[in-house]
Amino acid sequence: ISKGCIASLSVWGWGGLGVVLFLITFGPFAVFYLAFYIFCFVGGGFAVTLLFGKTNSERHLERCEHSYLPATQTGILKTLEEMRLEPKPIQIDRRLTGSNYIDEPLQQVIQFALRDYIQYWYYTLSEDDSFLLEIRQTVQNALVQFSTRSKEVDWQPYLTTRLVDDFATHLRVFRKAQDRLEDSKQRDLSEEMVESFFEAEVEMERNICRDVVCTSLKDEEGFLRDLCEVLLYLLLPPGDFHNKNMRYFLREILARGVLLPLVNQLSDPDYINQFVIWMIRDSSCNYEAFMNILKLTDRVSELEAVKDKALEELQYLRSLDTAGDDINVIKNQINSLMFVKKVCETRIQRLQSGKEVDALKLAANLGKLCIIPLEHILVHNIALQFFMDYMLVAGAQAELFFWLTVEGYRVTAQQQLEVMEGWQKDGRKGGDTKGLLKAAALGVYEQYLSDKASPRVQVDEASVLQLGEKLQKDSDPTPEIFDDIQTKVYDMMLRDERFYPSFRQSPLYIRMLAELDMLKEPSYRGSDDGDGVSLVLIGCFSLLCLQSLDDLSNSCHDDNIQLHAFISDTGVCNDHGKTYALYAITVLRRNHDGSEDSWKTYRRYSDFHDFHMRITEQFENLTAILKLPGKKTFNNMDRDFLERRKKDLNSYLQLLLNPEMMKACPTLVHYVYDFLENKQYSKGKGDFARKMDTFVNPLRSSMRNVSNAVKGLPDSLAGGMNKAADNMGRMSEKLGQDIKQAVFKVPPMLPKSDFDPEHCRVSAQLDDNVDDNIPLRVMLLLMDEVFDLKERNQWLRRNIKNLLQQLIRATYGDTINRKIVDHVDFMTAPEQVADYVKKFRDSYWPNGILAESPPRRDKNIRMRTRVAAKTNLLGIMPDELKHIIGADTTRKGILRVFDMFQHGPMNRRLVYVLLEGFLETMFPHYKFPELFVKLHSRSPRTARYTQKGKSTFPKR
């Protein structure tokens, strides 16, 4: 027992000693290391066993495969070898358009587009760059084809005819939609406007309507996909196009990543308004146009936005701590903002209460209107057209046309006789001038005074018989042969109650005053709104003043009010390096109640010159009375010279303000008050117009005066008088058209057709044989649609055509078409195209980084942008245009164009129309017109219109 115990103790002893020595030697964690080593050993053995088994299994399977399957073909082995080889790098040719100026920025655009639209998601799927290189090569091939095709196209017809026709036709459709809603009293509803617009479009286009594409996002995307697929077919190599994956991929990128965002931006009304402001950013802010917009707008949201901004500025100004001279400036600014706020509140209250009344109806109840003498009406193109319309309604057109025809005959005869005398002095033969004059005189007699005339001018028979005998006996009729009867006709139109006196009581007379900016809207003082603000509507002659709620023009017809003015001081100013003299004019106004008002206004010599040109244009009899001091080029800042000019200008003002002068020219008071008001003078003439005064004044006078217009005709006597003699002898169903064709060389109207010309494209009414001058046709085309001149008689259109024709010929002569070609070449030059690409690159990737989408702007900001855009558009309209077509017509035309761009679906229609015209010009040999008809055939309006046409005109 003792030996067994000793043995067991020795085992435990030696074992314990071994453990202690193990722990002392290897540390306390040796147990864990040992366990880890054992685990690794066992795991390694297991892994070796698996690998050995896998290798043996593969060898066994390979032996089985070679035993039961046929041998591999040689071609497959060769293909496998080629696939194992490294892919060859794709060589990218960086040439695109053949011009280094364009290729460099265009390559950067391609690189940025691939980086930001493809690479960011492609690298999450694969690291192989071959796909990206293939896409880049495909895009470059398409650009090369596009560049090559664009160089082969003659862009002049597109830019001068098709582009303008598309815009003018779009404007015509909008005008027709406006007229429809105006008749139904729903002009302010945007949805109804869009519906009416597309109804008018399908009536005009007949077989196409873009309403579905412009109003449905799903249909728009489908249209763009179909269009992009056609473009890829035309631009891509056949191999790339037949690759469906590549084609669909590029189609989606073009349709949804490029074209759709571009259309969204170009059709956004707010973006268009900002673009308008940016385009005319160099023009100074026009206060008069701004106040006109506030008085004419019918959108409460615009007025609310302006009023809120005025209140914000008022709070800021009132919080300023100022003293000294600054406080006067702050007070003036506060008064101005208070006035704008008052105008907005008054206008909002009237719109919300439904008290808005037509200014023409209000003016018809006025007791005092500007009286324009008949002699001035007959020589002013705008006034004459209204008087002509009235005479046509009254059935007295023969008398008016007779007076105009005789005026034209007299001046033409005088001109041709002077030419004949010059030929005789030079010893040359003048041709059968006198015979042609007699033939023309007989034509006038037969047209208006003979028994065959219908209608016939109503004058005493004795004078008619005496004139007939004189024409038969005299072989050489004088230019004054019709003067006696012409005077009698003038007296009859002046005194007969059916003519001029009744015309002054008619609505046409009120409209004429509105066109001449001589119509004022009566004050609303004492109305229910209690605002006490006097709103005056006399255009540029009677706009509201910032520092007063009453306008000077409110009392322009009060005979008890006297006005005195004199130059009290003269100074020299320096503005941005330009030195000029400034004259301080002290104005005293004595009111009918005995009170007096006084103020100072400051004018430059150029203001005096501009004012003098204005009034001598309107009142030609003042030319011989009023003499403005001449301009001095050198030493014009000399003290002695300024004193002499101050004295001369004072004499000029005293003569102008003479009571007898005011009585002789009653309407002159509007111009004088406008010039002496305490505000910045709005010049009606530019610097170029004042420098070219000797050239422009006769040209403008020729537009107002019938005799000068006839004298300015370029045709010779042999051509002009032959036409007059031939045409005047004919009987016409429409007498006025004969007169215009015979004497005034107006192009004959197009023959009547089965359809209304208003229901066709604008270009369908152009007669290529009338005038081959492209700029003239384009200008007339635009002016007809913008200002709706076709609703007038042809008198105004003739004047506009003569003015444009003379201006173009005086500026460019017969080289105008070459000038257009040169300008188109300049616009498409490599340097210019490269500049366009750079601007596109810098706008989308500023500093090489993709620009973020701007957030949608606040409604008030968008409304103020609308007001600013309308103000700028009205502000840049020159007074020369108002003198030709009328102030009211000019305002309505400009605002019509502005309103057209305030509807997103209609803007999309214009974008797509321009895109279609571009593609039809780019690819003339392909049937793009038929393609677009098919693409837009999903429109239900087109189907309804087609069905309506079939039911209206059934087949026989």
mmCIF file of all heavy atoms in Angstrom, residues 290 293-294 297-312 340-341 343-352 858-867:
data_model
loop_
_atom_site.group_PDB
_atom_site.id
_atom_site.type_symbol
_atom_site.label_atom_id
_atom_site.label_comp_id
_atom_site.label_asym_id
_atom_site.label_seq_id
_atom_site.Cartn_x
_atom_site.Cartn_y
_atom_site.Cartn_z
ATOM 1 N N PHE A 290 -42.830 101.805 -66.796
ATOM 2 C CA PHE A 290 -43.167 101.089 -65.566
ATOM 3 C C PHE A 290 -44.544 101.496 -65.054
ATOM 4 O O PHE A 290 -45.376 100.646 -64.696
ATOM 5 C CB PHE A 290 -42.092 101.352 -64.513
ATOM 6 C CG PHE A 290 -42.413 100.800 -63.154
ATOM 7 C CD1 PHE A 290 -42.482 99.429 -62.954
ATOM 8 C CD2 PHE A 290 -42.650 101.639 -62.085
ATOM 9 C CE1 PHE A 290 -42.774 98.906 -61.699
ATOM 10 C CE2 PHE A 290 -42.947 101.129 -60.835
ATOM 11 C CZ PHE A 290 -43.001 99.772 -60.651
ATOM 12 N N ILE A 293 -47.282 100.059 -67.216
ATOM 13 C CA ILE A 293 -47.534 98.642 -66.961
ATOM 14 C C ILE A 293 -48.408 98.474 -65.722
ATOM 15 O O ILE A 293 -49.340 97.666 -65.704
ATOM 16 C CB ILE A 293 -46.199 97.888 -66.792
ATOM 17 C CG1 ILE A 293 -45.450 97.839 -68.120
ATOM 18 C CG2 ILE A 293 -46.428 96.487 -66.265
ATOM 19 C CD1 ILE A 293 -46.194 97.135 -69.222
ATOM 20 N N LEU A 294 -48.131 99.238 -64.682
ATOM 21 C CA LEU A 294 -48.946 99.143 -63.474
ATOM 22 C C LEU A 294 -50.392 99.541 -63.743
ATOM 23 O O LEU A 294 -51.323 98.977 -63.157
ATOM 24 C CB LEU A 294 -48.358 100.026 -62.371
ATOM 25 C CG LEU A 294 -46.990 99.612 -61.802
ATOM 26 C CD1 LEU A 294 -46.592 100.540 -60.667
ATOM 27 C CD2 LEU A 294 -47.009 98.171 -61.331
ATOM 28 N N THR A 297 -51.941 96.540 -66.345
ATOM 29 C CA THR A 297 -51.962 95.113 -66.024
ATOM 30 C C THR A 297 -53.313 94.708 -65.457
ATOM 31 O O THR A 297 -53.988 95.490 -64.766
ATOM 32 C CB THR A 297 -50.843 94.767 -65.030
ATOM 33 O OG1 THR A 297 -50.844 93.369 -64.802
ATOM 34 C CG2 THR A 297 -51.050 95.493 -63.716
ATOM 35 N N ASP A 298 -53.720 93.497 -65.748
ATOM 36 C CA ASP A 298 -54.969 92.971 -65.218
ATOM 37 C C ASP A 298 -54.734 91.775 -64.304
ATOM 38 O O ASP A 298 -55.657 91.017 -64.025
ATOM 39 C CB ASP A 298 -55.912 92.569 -66.354
ATOM 40 C CG ASP A 298 -55.254 91.602 -67.324
ATOM 41 O OD1 ASP A 298 -54.059 91.303 -67.125
ATOM 42 O OD2 ASP A 298 -55.918 91.158 -68.272
ATOM 43 N N ARG A 299 -53.511 91.594 -63.844
ATOM 44 C CA ARG A 299 -53.160 90.500 -62.932
ATOM 45 C C ARG A 299 -52.908 91.074 -61.543
ATOM 46 O O ARG A 299 -51.963 91.854 -61.333
ATOM 47 C CB ARG A 299 -51.933 89.746 -63.427
ATOM 48 C CG ARG A 299 -52.154 89.014 -64.742
ATOM 49 C CD ARG A 299 -50.881 88.284 -65.142
ATOM 50 N NE ARG A 299 -50.546 87.225 -64.212
ATOM 51 C CZ ARG A 299 -50.885 85.946 -64.386
ATOM 52 N NH1 ARG A 299 -51.578 85.590 -65.451
ATOM 53 N NH2 ARG A 299 -50.529 85.035 -63.508
ATOM 54 N N VAL A 300 -53.729 90.666 -60.603
ATOM 55 C CA VAL A 300 -53.586 91.165 -59.235
ATOM 56 C C VAL A 300 -52.276 90.687 -58.624
ATOM 57 O O VAL A 300 -51.650 91.403 -57.822
ATOM 58 C CB VAL A 300 -54.797 90.708 -58.398
ATOM 59 C CG1 VAL A 300 -54.642 91.133 -56.942
ATOM 60 C CG2 VAL A 300 -56.087 91.265 -58.976
ATOM 61 N N SER A 301 -51.830 89.492 -58.993
ATOM 62 C CA SER A 301 -50.603 88.950 -58.406
ATOM 63 C C SER A 301 -49.391 89.821 -58.728
ATOM 64 O O SER A 301 -48.502 89.982 -57.886
ATOM 65 C CB SER A 301 -50.371 87.525 -58.905
ATOM 66 O OG SER A 301 -50.359 87.477 -60.324
ATOM 67 N N GLU A 302 -49.340 90.384 -59.937
ATOM 68 C CA GLU A 302 -48.228 91.276 -60.280
ATOM 69 C C GLU A 302 -48.261 92.532 -59.411
ATOM 70 O O GLU A 302 -47.221 92.973 -58.900
ATOM 71 C CB GLU A 302 -48.300 91.652 -61.755
ATOM 72 C CG GLU A 302 -48.071 90.501 -62.716
ATOM 73 C CD GLU A 302 -48.155 90.937 -64.157
ATOM 74 O OE1 GLU A 302 -48.355 92.140 -64.389
ATOM 75 O OE2 GLU A 302 -48.024 90.086 -65.055
ATOM 76 N N LEU A 303 -49.434 93.114 -59.250
ATOM 77 C CA LEU A 303 -49.548 94.319 -58.433
ATOM 78 C C LEU A 303 -49.226 94.037 -56.974
ATOM 79 O O LEU A 303 -48.574 94.852 -56.304
ATOM 80 C CB LEU A 303 -50.962 94.895 -58.573
ATOM 81 C CG LEU A 303 -51.367 95.349 -59.981
ATOM 82 C CD1 LEU A 303 -52.855 95.619 -60.051
ATOM 83 C CD2 LEU A 303 -50.589 96.593 -60.380
ATOM 84 N N GLU A 304 -49.657 92.879 -56.472
ATOM 85 C CA GLU A 304 -49.343 92.515 -55.091
ATOM 86 C C GLU A 304 -47.841 92.359 -54.894
ATOM 87 O O GLU A 304 -47.288 92.784 -53.871
ATOM 88 C CB GLU A 304 -50.056 91.206 -54.729
ATOM 89 C CG GLU A 304 -51.570 91.317 -54.632
ATOM 90 C CD GLU A 304 -52.013 91.962 -53.332
ATOM 91 O OE1 GLU A 304 -51.135 92.305 -52.516
ATOM 92 O OE2 GLU A 304 -53.225 92.128 -53.142
ATOM 93 N N ALA A 305 -47.159 91.748 -55.869
ATOM 94 C CA ALA A 305 -45.706 91.562 -55.745
ATOM 95 C C ALA A 305 -44.982 92.897 -55.732
ATOM 96 O O ALA A 305 -44.050 93.106 -54.942
ATOM 97 C CB ALA A 305 -45.197 90.693 -56.895
ATOM 98 N N VAL A 306 -45.390 93.822 -56.592
ATOM 99 C CA VAL A 306 -44.753 95.147 -56.620
ATOM 100 C C VAL A 306 -45.043 95.899 -55.328
ATOM 101 O O VAL A 306 -44.156 96.557 -54.754
ATOM 102 C CB VAL A 306 -45.238 95.943 -57.848
ATOM 103 C CG1 VAL A 306 -44.693 97.364 -57.816
ATOM 104 C CG2 VAL A 306 -44.798 95.245 -59.132
ATOM 105 N N LYS A 307 -46.273 95.804 -54.843
ATOM 106 C CA LYS A 307 -46.624 96.507 -53.599
ATOM 107 C C LYS A 307 -45.833 95.953 -52.417
ATOM 108 O O LYS A 307 -45.344 96.729 -51.574
ATOM 109 C CB LYS A 307 -48.125 96.375 -53.351
ATOM 110 C CG LYS A 307 -48.616 97.210 -52.180
ATOM 111 C CD LYS A 307 -50.056 96.904 -51.831
ATOM 112 C CE LYS A 307 -50.153 95.571 -51.129
ATOM 113 N NZ LYS A 307 -51.499 95.307 -50.576
ATOM 114 N N ASP A 308 -45.685 94.630 -52.345
ATOM 115 C CA ASP A 308 -44.915 94.040 -51.235
ATOM 116 C C ASP A 308 -43.461 94.494 -51.279
ATOM 117 O O ASP A 308 -42.853 94.769 -50.239
ATOM 118 C CB ASP A 308 -44.985 92.520 -51.317
ATOM 119 C CG ASP A 308 -46.388 91.992 -51.033
ATOM 120 O OD1 ASP A 308 -47.201 92.755 -50.489
ATOM 121 O OD2 ASP A 308 -46.666 90.826 -51.396
ATOM 122 N N LYS A 309 -42.901 94.562 -52.461
ATOM 123 C CA LYS A 309 -41.517 95.027 -52.570
ATOM 124 C C LYS A 309 -41.409 96.498 -52.176
ATOM 125 O O LYS A 309 -40.428 96.902 -51.529
ATOM 126 C CB LYS A 309 -41.013 94.829 -54.004
ATOM 127 C CG LYS A 309 -39.529 95.104 -54.172
ATOM 128 C CD LYS A 309 -38.679 94.148 -53.371
ATOM 129 C CE LYS A 309 -37.195 94.377 -53.604
ATOM 130 N NZ LYS A 309 -36.368 93.472 -52.769
ATOM 131 N N ALA A 310 -42.403 97.306 -52.555
ATOM 132 C CA ALA A 310 -42.384 98.713 -52.163
ATOM 133 C C ALA A 310 -42.474 98.847 -50.642
ATOM 134 O O ALA A 310 -41.779 99.687 -50.043
ATOM 135 C CB ALA A 310 -43.539 99.454 -52.837
ATOM 136 N N LEU A 311 -43.314 98.039 -49.996
ATOM 137 C CA LEU A 311 -43.402 98.082 -48.535
ATOM 138 C C LEU A 311 -42.086 97.663 -47.883
ATOM 139 O O LEU A 311 -41.664 98.249 -46.881
ATOM 140 C CB LEU A 311 -44.539 97.168 -48.072
ATOM 141 C CG LEU A 311 -45.963 97.625 -48.403
ATOM 142 C CD1 LEU A 311 -46.965 96.553 -48.012
ATOM 143 C CD2 LEU A 311 -46.278 98.935 -47.708
ATOM 144 N N GLU A 312 -41.444 96.659 -48.452
ATOM 145 C CA GLU A 312 -40.158 96.218 -47.918
ATOM 146 C C GLU A 312 -39.115 97.321 -48.012
ATOM 147 O O GLU A 312 -38.364 97.566 -47.049
ATOM 148 C CB GLU A 312 -39.700 94.976 -48.680
ATOM 149 C CG GLU A 312 -38.374 94.417 -48.234
ATOM 150 C CD GLU A 312 -37.943 93.222 -49.061
ATOM 151 O OE1 GLU A 312 -38.811 92.588 -49.685
ATOM 152 O OE2 GLU A 312 -36.727 92.933 -49.085
ATOM 153 N N VAL A 340 -45.968 104.642 -55.718
ATOM 154 C CA VAL A 340 -46.105 103.345 -56.387
ATOM 155 C C VAL A 340 -47.046 102.443 -55.595
ATOM 156 O O VAL A 340 -47.904 101.748 -56.179
ATOM 157 C CB VAL A 340 -44.720 102.691 -56.551
ATOM 158 C CG1 VAL A 340 -44.857 101.267 -57.063
ATOM 159 C CG2 VAL A 340 -43.859 103.507 -57.507
ATOM 160 N N LYS A 341 -46.915 102.440 -54.285
ATOM 161 C CA LYS A 341 -47.804 101.632 -53.445
ATOM 162 C C LYS A 341 -49.250 102.066 -53.612
ATOM 163 O O LYS A 341 -50.161 101.231 -53.701
ATOM 164 C CB LYS A 341 -47.364 101.771 -51.986
ATOM 165 C CG LYS A 341 -48.301 101.141 -50.968
ATOM 166 C CD LYS A 341 -47.743 101.281 -49.578
ATOM 167 C CE LYS A 341 -48.775 100.918 -48.514
ATOM 168 N NZ LYS A 341 -49.877 101.884 -48.457
ATOM 169 N N VAL A 343 -50.623 103.549 -56.230
ATOM 170 C CA VAL A 343 -51.099 103.153 -57.553
ATOM 171 C C VAL A 343 -51.465 101.667 -57.571
ATOM 172 O O VAL A 343 -52.505 101.273 -58.112
ATOM 173 C CB VAL A 343 -50.037 103.471 -58.627
ATOM 174 C CG1 VAL A 343 -50.419 102.864 -59.971
ATOM 175 C CG2 VAL A 343 -49.871 104.977 -58.775
ATOM 176 N N CYS A 344 -50.627 100.836 -56.965
ATOM 177 C CA CYS A 344 -50.907 99.394 -56.934
ATOM 178 C C CYS A 344 -52.182 99.098 -56.148
ATOM 179 O O CYS A 344 -53.020 98.293 -56.582
ATOM 180 C CB CYS A 344 -49.726 98.642 -56.315
ATOM 181 S SG CYS A 344 -48.220 98.664 -57.311
ATOM 182 N N GLU A 345 -52.331 99.738 -54.992
ATOM 183 C CA GLU A 345 -53.531 99.496 -54.189
ATOM 184 C C GLU A 345 -54.790 99.935 -54.920
ATOM 185 O O GLU A 345 -55.822 99.244 -54.882
ATOM 186 C CB GLU A 345 -53.415 100.217 -52.844
ATOM 187 C CG GLU A 345 -52.351 99.632 -51.926
ATOM 188 C CD GLU A 345 -52.189 100.443 -50.661
ATOM 189 O OE1 GLU A 345 -52.700 101.593 -50.634
ATOM 190 O OE2 GLU A 345 -51.568 99.940 -49.706
ATOM 191 N N THR A 346 -54.719 101.065 -55.595
ATOM 192 C CA THR A 346 -55.886 101.549 -56.343
ATOM 193 C C THR A 346 -56.252 100.593 -57.466
ATOM 194 O O THR A 346 -57.421 100.250 -57.665
ATOM 195 C CB THR A 346 -55.584 102.941 -56.913
ATOM 196 O OG1 THR A 346 -55.206 103.815 -55.863
ATOM 197 C CG2 THR A 346 -56.802 103.494 -57.638
ATOM 198 N N ARG A 347 -55.237 100.146 -58.178
ATOM 199 C CA ARG A 347 -55.494 99.232 -59.295
ATOM 200 C C ARG A 347 -56.039 97.893 -58.791
ATOM 201 O O ARG A 347 -56.962 97.329 -59.386
ATOM 202 C CB ARG A 347 -54.192 99.018 -60.061
ATOM 203 C CG ARG A 347 -54.308 98.144 -61.289
ATOM 204 C CD ARG A 347 -55.098 98.808 -62.366
ATOM 205 N NE ARG A 347 -55.154 97.995 -63.577
ATOM 206 C CZ ARG A 347 -55.998 98.193 -64.572
ATOM 207 N NH1 ARG A 347 -56.871 99.188 -64.515
ATOM 208 N NH2 ARG A 347 -55.982 97.421 -65.640
ATOM 209 N N ILE A 348 -55.497 97.373 -57.697
ATOM 210 C CA ILE A 348 -55.972 96.105 -57.133
ATOM 211 C C ILE A 348 -57.421 96.224 -56.698
ATOM 212 O O ILE A 348 -58.251 95.338 -56.952
ATOM 213 C CB ILE A 348 -55.076 95.685 -55.948
ATOM 214 C CG1 ILE A 348 -53.683 95.309 -56.437
ATOM 215 C CG2 ILE A 348 -55.694 94.526 -55.184
ATOM 216 C CD1 ILE A 348 -52.687 95.064 -55.326
ATOM 217 N N GLN A 349 -57.760 97.342 -56.046
ATOM 218 C CA GLN A 349 -59.124 97.525 -55.562
ATOM 219 C C GLN A 349 -60.114 97.588 -56.715
ATOM 220 O O GLN A 349 -61.207 97.016 -56.643
ATOM 221 C CB GLN A 349 -59.192 98.801 -54.729
ATOM 222 C CG GLN A 349 -60.497 98.971 -53.977
ATOM 223 C CD GLN A 349 -60.439 100.101 -52.975
ATOM 224 O OE1 GLN A 349 -59.406 100.731 -52.812
ATOM 225 N NE2 GLN A 349 -61.551 100.357 -52.317
ATOM 226 N N ARG A 350 -59.727 98.224 -57.803
ATOM 227 C CA ARG A 350 -60.635 98.312 -58.945
ATOM 228 C C ARG A 350 -60.815 96.954 -59.619
ATOM 229 O O ARG A 350 -61.913 96.599 -60.049
ATOM 230 C CB ARG A 350 -60.105 99.334 -59.939
ATOM 231 C CG ARG A 350 -60.290 100.758 -59.445
ATOM 232 C CD ARG A 350 -59.907 101.750 -60.506
ATOM 233 N NE ARG A 350 -59.937 103.094 -59.929
ATOM 234 C CZ ARG A 350 -59.021 104.001 -60.105
ATOM 235 N NH1 ARG A 350 -57.984 103.725 -60.842
ATOM 236 N NH2 ARG A 350 -59.127 105.194 -59.561
ATOM 237 N N LEU A 351 -59.711 96.198 -59.741
ATOM 238 C CA LEU A 351 -59.822 94.888 -60.377
ATOM 239 C C LEU A 351 -60.673 93.941 -59.545
ATOM 240 O O LEU A 351 -61.468 93.165 -60.085
ATOM 241 C CB LEU A 351 -58.427 94.293 -60.588
ATOM 242 C CG LEU A 351 -57.559 94.968 -61.660
ATOM 243 C CD1 LEU A 351 -56.158 94.369 -61.659
ATOM 244 C CD2 LEU A 351 -58.182 94.820 -63.039
ATOM 245 N N GLN A 352 -60.509 93.976 -58.227
ATOM 246 C CA GLN A 352 -61.270 93.083 -57.363
ATOM 247 C C GLN A 352 -62.732 93.481 -57.224
ATOM 248 O O GLN A 352 -63.595 92.636 -57.016
ATOM 249 C CB GLN A 352 -60.613 93.009 -55.981
ATOM 250 C CG GLN A 352 -59.245 92.351 -55.992
ATOM 251 C CD GLN A 352 -58.587 92.345 -54.633
ATOM 252 O OE1 GLN A 352 -58.982 93.094 -53.735
ATOM 253 N NE2 GLN A 352 -57.566 91.509 -54.464
ATOM 254 N N ASP A 858 -39.486 82.002 -56.037
ATOM 255 C CA ASP A 858 -40.699 82.385 -55.326
ATOM 256 C C ASP A 858 -41.688 83.074 -56.271
ATOM 257 O O ASP A 858 -41.295 83.725 -57.241
ATOM 258 C CB ASP A 858 -40.323 83.319 -54.170
ATOM 259 C CG ASP A 858 -41.542 83.736 -53.369
ATOM 260 O OD1 ASP A 858 -42.095 82.891 -52.650
ATOM 261 O OD2 ASP A 858 -41.938 84.903 -53.497
ATOM 262 N N LYS A 859 -42.979 82.925 -55.978
ATOM 263 C CA LYS A 859 -44.012 83.483 -56.855
ATOM 264 C C LYS A 859 -43.886 84.999 -56.961
ATOM 265 O O LYS A 859 -44.028 85.572 -58.043
ATOM 266 C CB LYS A 859 -45.399 83.107 -56.327
ATOM 267 C CG LYS A 859 -46.525 83.651 -57.196
ATOM 268 C CD LYS A 859 -47.884 83.273 -56.642
ATOM 269 C CE LYS A 859 -48.999 83.867 -57.510
ATOM 270 N NZ LYS A 859 -50.350 83.547 -56.981
ATOM 271 N N ASN A 860 -43.635 85.692 -55.856
ATOM 272 C CA ASN A 860 -43.507 87.145 -55.911
ATOM 273 C C ASN A 860 -42.334 87.569 -56.793
ATOM 274 O O ASN A 860 -42.422 88.562 -57.534
ATOM 275 C CB ASN A 860 -43.328 87.710 -54.501
ATOM 276 C CG ASN A 860 -44.639 87.775 -53.745
ATOM 277 O OD1 ASN A 860 -45.714 87.646 -54.329
ATOM 278 N ND2 ASN A 860 -44.559 87.948 -52.441
ATOM 279 N N ILE A 861 -41.236 86.819 -56.721
ATOM 280 C CA ILE A 861 -40.090 87.154 -57.570
ATOM 281 C C ILE A 861 -40.447 86.953 -59.035
ATOM 282 O O ILE A 861 -40.099 87.770 -59.900
ATOM 283 C CB ILE A 861 -38.873 86.291 -57.177
ATOM 284 C CG1 ILE A 861 -38.459 86.596 -55.734
ATOM 285 C CG2 ILE A 861 -37.704 86.533 -58.121
ATOM 286 C CD1 ILE A 861 -37.306 85.743 -55.248
ATOM 287 N N ARG A 862 -41.157 85.876 -59.339
ATOM 288 C CA ARG A 862 -41.561 85.641 -60.726
ATOM 289 C C ARG A 862 -42.516 86.714 -61.224
ATOM 290 O O ARG A 862 -42.438 87.142 -62.377
ATOM 291 C CB ARG A 862 -42.195 84.255 -60.846
ATOM 292 C CG ARG A 862 -41.183 83.132 -60.744
ATOM 293 C CD ARG A 862 -41.799 81.774 -61.000
ATOM 294 N NE ARG A 862 -42.460 81.245 -59.815
ATOM 295 C CZ ARG A 862 -43.758 80.998 -59.718
ATOM 296 N NH1 ARG A 862 -44.544 81.243 -60.743
ATOM 297 N NH2 ARG A 862 -44.274 80.511 -58.610
ATOM 298 N N MET A 863 -43.409 87.171 -60.367
ATOM 299 C CA MET A 863 -44.342 88.221 -60.781
ATOM 300 C C MET A 863 -43.612 89.540 -61.015
ATOM 301 O O MET A 863 -43.918 90.274 -61.959
ATOM 302 C CB MET A 863 -45.422 88.404 -59.707
ATOM 303 C CG MET A 863 -46.401 87.245 -59.599
ATOM 304 S SD MET A 863 -47.352 86.943 -61.106
ATOM 305 C CE MET A 863 -46.524 85.469 -61.721
ATOM 306 N N ARG A 864 -42.647 89.865 -60.165
ATOM 307 C CA ARG A 864 -41.883 91.100 -60.379
ATOM 308 C C ARG A 864 -41.021 90.992 -61.639
ATOM 309 O O ARG A 864 -40.791 91.995 -62.325
ATOM 310 C CB ARG A 864 -41.013 91.401 -59.156
ATOM 311 C CG ARG A 864 -41.805 91.890 -57.953
ATOM 312 C CD ARG A 864 -40.895 92.548 -56.931
ATOM 313 N NE ARG A 864 -39.974 91.603 -56.331
ATOM 314 C CZ ARG A 864 -40.231 90.894 -55.228
ATOM 315 N NH1 ARG A 864 -41.393 91.013 -54.627
ATOM 316 N NH2 ARG A 864 -39.318 90.070 -54.736
ATOM 317 N N THR A 865 -40.564 89.776 -61.942
ATOM 318 C CA THR A 865 -39.827 89.581 -63.188
ATOM 319 C C THR A 865 -40.721 89.839 -64.394
ATOM 320 O O THR A 865 -40.289 90.414 -65.390
ATOM 321 C CB THR A 865 -39.259 88.151 -63.244
ATOM 322 O OG1 THR A 865 -38.453 87.918 -62.084
ATOM 323 C CG2 THR A 865 -38.408 87.955 -64.487
ATOM 324 N N ARG A 866 -41.982 89.425 -64.310
ATOM 325 C CA ARG A 866 -42.934 89.717 -65.384
ATOM 326 C C ARG A 866 -43.081 91.222 -65.593
ATOM 327 O O ARG A 866 -43.052 91.719 -66.722
ATOM 328 C CB ARG A 866 -44.302 89.105 -65.066
ATOM 329 C CG ARG A 866 -44.410 87.604 -65.269
ATOM 330 C CD ARG A 866 -45.731 87.100 -64.721
ATOM 331 N NE ARG A 866 -46.855 87.795 -65.304
ATOM 332 C CZ ARG A 866 -47.578 87.349 -66.328
ATOM 333 N NH1 ARG A 866 -47.287 86.181 -66.856
ATOM 334 N NH2 ARG A 866 -48.596 88.040 -66.792
ATOM 335 N N VAL A 867 -43.244 91.939 -64.501
ATOM 336 C CA VAL A 867 -43.400 93.391 -64.607
ATOM 337 C C VAL A 867 -42.145 94.026 -65.193
ATOM 338 O O VAL A 867 -42.222 94.914 -66.054
ATOM 339 C CB VAL A 867 -43.720 93.989 -63.219
ATOM 340 C CG1 VAL A 867 -43.759 95.509 -63.285
ATOM 341 C CG2 VAL A 867 -45.051 93.452 -62.710
#
